[in-house]
Amino acid sequence: LLRECMVAKIVVQVRDPRQAMVSLYHHQNLESDHQSHGLLPQLAPRHAGARPIDEADDETIAALLGQLVGWLEDWLRAAGSAQLPEVHFVSYEALKAAPRQVFTEVFDFFAPPEEYRGLLDFVEDLAASKTPSFRAGETGEWRSALSPRQLTLVEDLLPATLLQRFA
């Protein structure tokens, strides 16, 4: 579809799939809990019915992680292809640690006119702001959120290339 639309360059934000899985589980679980109480997720308090991820079964962990791994591997294949679009990856973890550096790299990738470089201050301020639509935005939370059994399972399920990429 991107080729059909003649998209020449695209930035893809990726996140450590272990952390993305924790976040996805949280949002799916919380959304389900809020719907059962007839509440809008953004207005509802936390409910006792929302199960923490360390209580999730292996099949749930494997299914969520499988979705995320498949998505990442598809983008990595696209990036390795000689066909357009040209893909630039931005990791959430790098964005959180050094927003100005990441956005400088994005600007360099797209090579906009020099006057747009003034936007770096704006995006750096935006990256530092907190909004109610984000959960925690933490990095590495998966290490404490998953049970020891789940940590082993996730390590077994993640392809070596992704384990190295998000080491």
Side-chain angles (χ1 to χ4, degrees), residues 9-20:
K9 292 183 174 188
I10 188 167
V11 172
V12 177
Q13 181 188 336
V14 297
R15 192 170 190 184
D16 183 318
R18 296 164 290 198
Q19 186 60 43

Side-chain angles (χ1 to χ4, degrees), residues 27 130-135:
H27 285 290
K130 302 282 186 211
T131 69
S133 61
F134 291 120
R135 188 172 67 87

Side-chain angles (χ1 to χ4, degrees), residues 33-34 36 40 46-47 50 52 57 59-60 62 72 77 86 92 95 100 102 108 119 132 135 156 162:
D33 187 53
H34 291 332
S36 71
L40 293 172
R46 293 181 184 234
H47 293 286
D57 59 43
E59 292 78 20
T60 300
L72 279 168
R77 270 192 297 282
E86 185 179 346
Y92 177 79
L95 181 62
R100 188 182 230 10
V102 168
D108 291 345
L119 289 174
R135 188 172 67 87
D156 290 344
L162 294 181

Side-chain angles (χ1 to χ4, degrees), residues 1-11 84-86 110:
L1 180 61
L2 293 172
R3 286 184 201 106
E4 292 173 18
C5 295
M6 311 240 332
V7 172
K9 292 183 174 188
I10 188 167
V11 172
L84 291 178
E86 185 179 346
F110 284 111

